Amino acid sequence: MLNPLPEHLFETLFNHLSEPRIVVKADPPYFTIVACNEQYRLVSNTLGKDITGKSIKELHNSDPANIEGDLIIQDALNRAIATRKPVELAAVRYDIPGADGFKNEQSWWQAEYIPIPGKDGKVEYLMCTTYNITDQINNREAIDRAQQQLRLAVESAKMGTWDVNPTDYKLSLSDRSKELIGLPLIEEISIEEILKSIDPAYHQPVREAITNGVEHHRSCDLDYLTTNLITKEQKWIRITGKMFFDDSGKPAHYSGLMMDITERKLDDLRKNDFIAIVSHELKTPLTTLKAYVQMLIARATKTEDAFTTVGLEKVNQQVKKMTAMINGFLNIARLEASKIHLDKKIFDLEKLIQETVNEIGLITSGYNIDFVPYEPLMVHADLEKIAQVINNLLSNAIKYSLKGKTIIINCIIADGFAQVSIKDEGIGVNSHDLEKLFERYYRVENQSTRTISGFGIGLYFCAEIIKRHEGRIWAESEIGKGSTFYFTLPLLPIL
Ligand code: ADP
């Protein structure tokens, strides 16, 4: 049999344990402390105090808040003695003095009591390991509180929630979401079931949003038209969603909110209809005006009437500006009504940029537009709409820069995409506005932009068109120094 450890050796070993530990005698109800290591003194705020020989009850339990905790600890120790098996406590409240050393602070502990039998097999001592888990509990409580507040906010805004399990695509919906769609509250719901309520024109975008979300972890924000399966009422629904990951970084839930946006959507649709009708009606007289002006320019040039030619050229420029403005509005109305169709064909993006630069160069002077085509870069896209995107970005670079400044256009291949960048030395945009530039009707309001006219629809159009081509659009900018607008387009696959 081994000799018992000399006392000083035991003390050194015990004191250097990283776990906070005490050893108590199995003498209920006192549980006299026979050994206590430094870690324990540290976590129990008893540094410098001699606590051996005291009952564990004497440590801090003068506080009435500790009566319940003390009973739980006594019960655990007694169970360890009776069963001769370790007993664990997941979380027990037992308050100890705070940093000031006087007032007790709410404290939570995780503990393990290991019985140590004597020679006769009866439990003689108990080794207690106690971890202070107050911060964890407080954090968990703070998270619970935040979740409760969020739930309350979601409920009072009459929003529903939804959740797709990324492993088996199982779907769960809150009662409010089911109510919006008109589904029975008790049953499990499949995606197919939900599609029955969605207007067929939106089946594809909804399916794509979920697949893109689950497989590529993309966030979604989608409006679609539904018919309530019970009331048969038509409603516009908006869903937003994103992927949430577990602690190990694995996708855990694809979930988000569902809300009824019928009123706002119908308002928008009415506004769009109005804009579409007015723009359409303005187009006819403008076309006639343009034809007459061009005829008159031709005649004035023939008669070498320089004054009339210059005047008419000015009228022509203004007519062009108005036409561009009206086309902008028509485009937005079409986008909103999902009436924009992409007419894709294969073309050279470098060539298109060059043509747009030449065209803009004809009507604006005083800027150095720097673009050197490199070699043909073939893409499969809607040429006219991409031309409008380049035109909008280049016009903005000019519009928001002073005369004499340089605009650099680049077209490269990056990460398997064609990437176009348009860099200016203009007024720049601050980071707060930068996030919103691509929203419909968004304009930056400050001293520098006050005198520059516009409707805030150009970048929105660009973003929608690029999104529909599965590309990306973004901007980088520094106030006073300039901005760079980027967009990407998928390259033509090599066959
Ligand atoms: P508009 O120019 O008609 O207002 P846009 O949608 O084209 O509409 O642009 C939205 C806003 O973004 C503009 O009002 C302007 O404040 C800002 N912006 C766009 N391009 C630039 C740029 N190159 N430099 C600085 N600000 C810009």
Side-chain angles (χ1 to χ4, degrees):
M1 190 180 147
L2 283 172
N3 285 332
L5 280 177
E7 201 173 314
H8 69 280
L9 190 56
F10 166 79
E11 233 171 64
T12 314
L13 285 174
F14 193 60
N15 266 337
H16 283 84
L17 287 175
S18 57
E19 294 90 5
R21 275 201 179 136
I22 53 171
V23 177
V24 298
K25 251 192 187 156
D27 59 351
Y30 304 106
F31 296 105
T32 314
I33 300 169
V34 293
C36 159
N37 74 359
E38 289 297 307
Q39 277 301 323
Y40 183 84
R41 287 181 205 277
L42 211 66
V43 299
S44 62
N45 275 348
T46 51
L47 272 177
K49 288 184 196 160
D50 185 14
I51 59 169
T52 52
K54 287 191 175 173
S55 156
I56 57 164
K57 287 176 78 148
E58 286 173 60
L59 279 184
H60 308 294
N61 77 343
S62 54
D63 193 323
N66 283 344
I67 294 174
E68 194 185 338
D70 189 53
L71 283 175
I72 295 172
I73 294 169
Q74 291 267 338
D75 174 62
L77 287 161
N78 284 329
R79 260 189 298 138
I81 295 173
T83 58
R84 290 191 226 162
K85 288 199 178 119
V87 173
E88 279 181 39
L89 291 179
V92 58
R93 180 174 163 189
Y94 196 89
D95 297 353
I96 63 163
D100 63 6
F102 295 106
K103 213 166 143 271
N104 273 5
E105 275 181 3
Q106 205 183 97
S107 313
W108 288 85
W109 306 86
Q110 187 184 36
E112 188 186 23
Y113 304 109
I114 300 175
I116 307 170
K119 283 191 193 117
D120 56 1
K122 276 192 10 207
V123 175
E124 213 171 318
Y125 296 102
L126 293 129
M127 186 163 68
C128 321
T129 313
T130 44
Y131 294 101
N132 190 329
I133 53 164
T134 312
D135 286 349
Q136 277 153 270
I137 296 277
N138 285 346
N139 288 347
R140 203 185 308 154
E141 275 176 5
I143 293 172
D144 285 350
R145 250 194 325 272
Q147 275 180 342
Q148 239 172 7
Q149 282 167 346
L150 184 67
R151 208 169 305 133
L152 220 83
V154 166
E155 275 165 20
S156 51
K158 291 203 155 197
M159 289 183 200
T161 55
W162 57 271
D163 180 281
V164 179
N165 183 326
T167 29
D168 55 11
Y169 276 78
K170 253 202 185 137
L171 190 70
S172 46
L173 297 180
S174 70
D175 287 354
R176 171 66 183 153
S177 294
K178 289 181 183 170
E179 188 190 317
L180 282 173
I181 301 171
L183 290 164
L185 294 188
I186 27 165
E187 280 165 32
E188 246 187 39
I189 310 296
S190 67
I191 291 176
E192 298 311 315
E193 199 74 32
I194 291 185
L195 284 176
K196 281 188 202 158
S197 70
I198 298 176
D199 187 286
Y202 295 91
H203 282 193
Q204 184 70 0
V206 171
R207 275 183 202 279
E208 272 173 18
I210 292 177
T211 322
N212 276 334
V214 172
E215 282 168 23
H216 309 294
H217 310 162
R218 289 202 199 132
S219 299
C220 76
D221 186 346
L222 196 73
D223 299 352
Y224 56 80
L225 183 64
T226 61
T227 305
N228 188 291
L229 294 173
I230 297 171
T231 62
K232 304 291 169 211
E233 203 183 343
Q234 278 213 327
K235 274 191 187 301
W236 280 93
I237 302 276
R238 175 177 176 196
I239 53 161
T240 55
K242 67 177 271 190
M243 182 62 87
F244 292 88
F245 300 88
D246 65 15
D247 290 343
S248 61
K250 275 205 300 210
H253 302 273
Y254 189 64
S255 49
L257 298 172
M258 183 181 282
M259 54 214 111
D260 180 355
I261 53 156
T262 314
E263 257 179 56
R264 178 173 70 69
K265 193 76 186 179
L266 291 181
D267 256 3
D268 277 359
L269 290 177
R270 275 191 290 270
K271 204 159 45 179
N272 277 334
D273 280 352
F274 176 73
I275 292 174
I277 293 167
V278 173
S279 313
H280 199 78
E281 290 302 313
L282 282 173
K283 251 192 125 167
T284 324
L286 211 56
T287 314
T288 319
L289 200 65
K290 197 171 163 185
Y292 273 106
V293 169
Q294 273 164 3
M295 228 164 63
L296 289 170
I297 288 177
R299 185 183 278 193
T301 318
K302 223 185 221 170
T303 57
E304 294 182 6
D305 179 350
F307 178 78
T308 314
T309 312
V310 171
L312 286 172
E313 283 295 357
K314 292 238 156 80
V315 175
N316 200 25
Q317 294 302 344
Q318 296 308 315
V319 170
K320 272 193 186 160
K321 267 195 186 167
M322 258 176 103
T323 315
M325 235 185 269
I326 286 168
N327 283 340
F329 279 121
L330 272 175
N331 278 335
I332 297 305
R334 283 195 203 117
L335 268 178
E336 293 297 300
S338 299
K339 278 188 194 147
I340 276 223
H341 298 291
L342 297 185
D343 184 11
K344 287 191 184 181
K345 60 182 179 193
I346 297 169
F347 62 88
D348 175 9
L349 188 58
E350 297 256 354
K351 195 166 157 223
L352 181 68
I353 297 174
Q354 185 65 71
E355 282 167 7
T356 317
V357 170
N358 293 346
E359 220 169 89
I360 288 205
L362 286 180
I363 47 171
T364 33
S365 57
Y367 293 88
N368 313 311
I369 304 180
D370 179 352
F371 174 65
V372 185
Y374 182 53
E375 57 184 36
L377 215 167
M378 305 311 283
V379 290
H380 184 226
D382 186 319
L383 185 139
E384 262 182 40
K385 301 212 171 61
I386 298 300
Q388 280 181 46
V389 169
I390 301 168
N391 195 306
N392 280 354
L393 297 180
L394 193 50
S395 305
N396 277 351
I398 291 168
K399 189 161 135 187
Y400 296 101
S401 304
L402 289 175
K403 280 217 166 166
K405 297 285 181 191
T406 300
I407 293 154
I408 302 171
I409 307 174
N410 259 311
C411 182
I412 57 166
I413 295 179
D415 298 330
F417 280 78
Q419 179 180 303
V420 178
S421 62
I422 297 174
K423 183 175 188 303
D424 64 52
E425 301 170 338
I427 58 171
V429 183
N430 68 33
S431 55
H432 164 75
D433 289 311
L434 204 56
E435 287 169 18
K436 301 184 178 155
L437 284 195
F438 298 96
E439 288 174 14
R440 194 175 41 152
Y441 304 130
Y442 192 82
R443 301 206 71 219
V444 177
E445 305 266 349
N446 59 32
Q447 277 302 100
S448 347
T449 57
R450 196 176 296 164
T451 50
I452 308 174
S453 65
F455 295 99
I457 53 175
L459 289 182
Y460 171 68
F461 173 80
C462 295
E464 287 295 313
I465 293 300
I466 296 299
K467 206 159 77 185
R468 278 158 215 234
H469 278 88
E470 309 275 313
R472 233 163 52 83
I473 186 162
W474 72 101
E476 288 163 5
S477 189
E478 203 176 325
I479 206 96
K481 293 216 165 135
S483 320
T484 309
F485 283 78
Y486 298 86
F487 72 85
T488 64
L489 285 176
L491 281 172
L492 190 64
I494 300 162
L495 297 175

